[in-house]
Amino acid sequence: MTRVSTPRNAAPRPVPASAPSLRADLLAADFTADGCLDLLGAVAYAALSRAETVPALRATRGAGPLESLVRLFLLQQPVPYDRARAALPGIEQYAADGWLVRDGDEVRATVDIRPYAGDGGEDWWIVSDLGCAVGGAGGIGSAPGVDRADLVLGVGGASTTLAGLTVRTSVERALDLGTGSGIQALHASRHATRVTATDLNPRALEFARLTLALSGAREPDLRQGSLFEPVADERFDLIVSNPPFVISPGGRFTYRDGGMAGDDLCRTLVRESADHLTDGGWCQLLANWQHIEGEDWRERLAGWVPAGCDAWIIQREVQDVAQYAELWLRDAGDHRADPAAYAAHYDAWLEEFERGKVNGIGFGWITLRKSGSADPVVAAEEWPHPVEQPLGAHIADWFVRQDFLRSHDDAALLAARFTLAPDVVQEQVGLPGAEDPEHVVLRSARGMRRATKVDTVGAGFAGVCDGTLPAGRIVDAIAQLLGEDPVVLRDRTPESIRLLVGQGFLEPVAG
């Protein structure tokens, strides 16, 4: 499937007038993220995120309104009409507006409606195709009368990860590129004055409208088209995207396959983002990228970053080409099809990778900020370890620290004052009974949850930083204590300070 220009929707369908009433009925039955967790319990609730429904079916054998709604909208099970009507007093209007359908003495849902907790604890609902709320070992589902290539997915691990990464400062304009069922646009509606949401798939725009309407958010400016085509020369303070980043031979599914060679879709999105960002604007996305024989992936991705932008690229995991092909073949449900067809699809993936000398696929996060600096900071690192979520505020702080380091030479750094970041602890590592530790580790429980080795000087410096003394004065005092030449120590300490500031162990004091 090739990405081509697509006209904007001429006449989008109106949001059902019953959306506010349906929201009120869902709230009355406690059909919320917290309510469902309380009903199902942690085990069944977690199983739902893996598209496993048996534990939830066992937990909803009662006849209460919440059990009925979970079965109807989450488990896609028929519910007796009388029970459905007890949970949804406006059921006749909801059926007329297409949320559900009556089939004799039973009621069936026509869409998946999944409770979702907002950034501030709001009760939201994500609307998607039946059987497509999340992935799972069995692969993506199917919806009656819908080409599987055009299915619209709901909330899953990727979308919640991106929501947690996003910098949530107040902005005038935000763009959700490739909105799908509207999750990122929904989050953006809380801190952006105007939200624009785009998607190549017109069905996705319809679902995004339903998601925001049912959640009580104002409708975004919805536009159909690929990449930045729908927004022409417009600029935004924030661009977020969970794009169809899967690197596949051809494009079978709109929601996941980029339809371009290799990782060109993600590269194009990154390179063109600067033309659509205001000064100081952010672009944040999830991406896959190829590991190509003989090339350093860090240098390769750094080459994607447009001029005038700082960038922080985090690789969370790497899969070999066979693992990667198997993952997405299962997502497509090919493992349940004819074995010969499965083998043919598998072979096509491996052939494509062999042709491009690809020996692995990386997955991670890319954050860009349009700084306009002639000396941009572009950092790419591998970090497969657990992090604190939401991480958006820590990501914003990382860019602030890069601004500080870029504007301070060694002399200015020694004149600055610092404080030790909250929740940083010191660990001494060595043999039991030894007089001195082999090395000292600083460890943070916040943000990226980093740990770094420091020498005696670094440990002593970090421990004394309370914002009262300039760094140079602290270095001089340490030199006197250790009997070292203060001039020599002043020459070699700024490098350690830069490391500790860059990784967030030390925070510059303003003024």
Side-chain angles (χ1 to χ4, degrees):
M1 178 176 60
T2 303
R3 292 298 193 228
V4 296
S5 298
T6 308
R8 297 182 190 176
N9 284 341
R13 289 182 293 177
V15 171
S18 58
S21 297
L22 178 56
R23 179 169 67 253
D25 284 351
L26 298 181
L27 284 170
D30 204 18
F31 186 64
T32 64
D34 288 342
C36 289
L37 176 59
D38 290 342
L39 171 70
L40 300 177
V43 172
Y45 196 77
L48 270 183
S49 70
R50 303 188 299 270
E52 296 291 350
T53 60
V54 172
L57 286 169
R58 291 177 58 83
T60 55
R61 288 177 290 191
L66 183 54
E67 286 95 336
S68 297
L69 293 181
V70 169
R71 284 192 166 240
L72 185 65
F73 289 121
L74 293 189
L75 306 179
Q76 281 91 59
Q77 296 294 310
V79 172
Y81 176 81
D82 290 343
R83 284 179 53 185
R85 192 176 190 284
L88 300 170
I91 191 169
E92 297 300 335
Q93 186 59 51
Y94 307 149
D97 285 345
W99 297 101
L100 44 82
V101 62
R102 183 173 181 178
D103 182 13
D105 293 332
E106 293 183 328
V107 174
R108 295 179 180 272
T110 58
V111 292
D112 183 294
I113 299 178
R114 192 153 299 248
Y116 182 70
D119 300 315
E122 303 92 342
D123 290 316
W124 290 340
W125 295 270
I126 309 301
V127 187
S128 64
D129 271 316
L130 294 172
C132 300
V134 292
I140 197 63
S142 60
V146 180
D147 188 327
R148 294 183 75 232
D150 294 328
L151 290 171
V152 178
L153 272 63
V155 62
S159 51
T160 56
T161 294
L162 179 59
L165 298 175
T166 303
V167 175
R168 296 295 175 196
T169 54
S170 296
V171 296
E172 176 65 25
R173 300 194 66 191
L175 170 65
D176 177 11
L177 191 154
T179 189
S181 54
I183 300 163
Q184 309 308 324
L186 182 57
H187 280 278
S189 70
R190 292 188 66 249
H191 64 103
T193 303
R194 289 183 290 169
V195 178
T196 300
T198 68
D199 205 287
L200 182 69
N201 184 358
R203 295 188 74 251
L205 299 178
E206 298 293 346
F207 276 105
R209 298 177 80 242
L210 294 176
T211 289
L212 271 76
L214 189 58
S215 299
R218 65 185 181 277
E219 182 171 320
D221 178 6
L222 297 169
R223 307 183 190 180
Q224 183 184 346
S226 177
L227 294 175
F228 291 105
E229 292 172 356
V231 296
D233 298 325
E234 297 173 61
R235 294 176 182 268
F236 302 87
D237 306 300
L238 171 67
I239 298 171
V240 291
S241 183
N242 180 14
F245 54 67
V246 175
I247 301 168
S248 59
R252 297 171 62 193
F253 300 98
T254 307
Y255 71 86
R256 71 167 208 193
D257 297 322
M260 294 184 179
D263 50 23
D264 279 357
L265 183 134
C266 291
R267 179 184 61 82
T268 300
L269 199 162
V270 170
R271 292 198 62 82
E272 293 183 359
S273 63
D275 295 333
H276 298 276
L277 287 174
T278 58
D279 293 339
W282 301 89
C283 176
Q284 298 185 269
L285 67 144
L286 306 182
N288 272 169
W289 46 78
Q290 298 176 136
H291 284 228
I292 297 177
E293 183 180 335
E295 297 185 26
D296 187 315
W297 72 268
R298 298 169 182 83
E299 294 179 1
R300 187 166 177 271
L301 265 68
W304 291 5
V305 179
C309 288
D310 298 327
W312 191 16
I313 302 165
I314 303 291
Q315 180 167 273
R316 294 291 285 165
E317 64 176 308
V318 182
Q319 291 184 307
D320 64 48
V321 293
Q323 288 177 310
Y324 189 78
E326 291 161 13
L327 169 67
W328 294 109
L329 287 169
R330 292 185 71 85
D331 175 81
D334 290 339
H335 61 300
R336 301 194 303 264
D338 174 56
Y342 175 82
H345 283 305
Y346 199 155
D347 186 69
W349 284 68
L350 298 184
E351 176 66 25
E352 186 82 3
F353 289 140
E354 183 177 347
R355 186 181 302 114
K357 298 183 177 179
V358 178
N359 54 31
I361 305 294
F363 167 79
W365 320 324
I366 300 177
T367 299
L368 292 89
R369 185 191 57 171
K370 191 172 183 179
S371 64
S373 173
D375 183 25
V377 176
V378 178
E381 61 176 310
E382 189 160 8
W383 193 257
H385 313 294
V387 300
E388 179 186 14
Q389 280 281 35
L391 196 63
H394 297 284
I395 290 176
D397 288 343
W398 184 91
F399 284 85
V400 171
R401 295 196 299 271
Q402 306 316 308
D403 286 340
F404 172 85
L405 293 173
R406 181 165 44 203
S407 63
H408 285 67
D409 59 17
D410 287 356
L413 206 63
L414 291 171
R417 293 174 293 126
F418 302 92
T419 59
L420 190 66
D423 298 306
V424 173
V425 297
Q426 175 179 302
E427 299 175 358
Q428 295 184 347
V429 181
L431 294 174
E435 184 175 348
D436 297 312
E438 293 181 9
H439 58 263
V440 176
V441 174
L442 297 181
R443 188 180 301 276
S444 174
R446 302 297 308 278
M448 298 292 286
R449 296 176 175 163
R450 293 186 185 275
T452 188
K453 289 183 182 180
V454 292
D455 58 15
T456 303
V457 173
F461 181 87
V464 174
C465 283
D466 61 3
T468 59
L469 294 175
R473 290 273 300 278
I474 297 175
V475 172
D476 292 343
I478 293 174
Q480 184 177 11
L481 182 65
L482 297 179
E484 295 195 25
D485 185 339
V487 175
V488 173
L489 206 58
R490 275 177 170 259
D491 284 343
R492 68 180 176 88
T493 302
E495 182 179 356
S496 297
I497 296 176
R498 290 185 185 279
L499 173 66
L500 294 176
V501 172
Q503 294 191 345
F505 293 101
L506 293 178
E507 298 177 349
V509 176

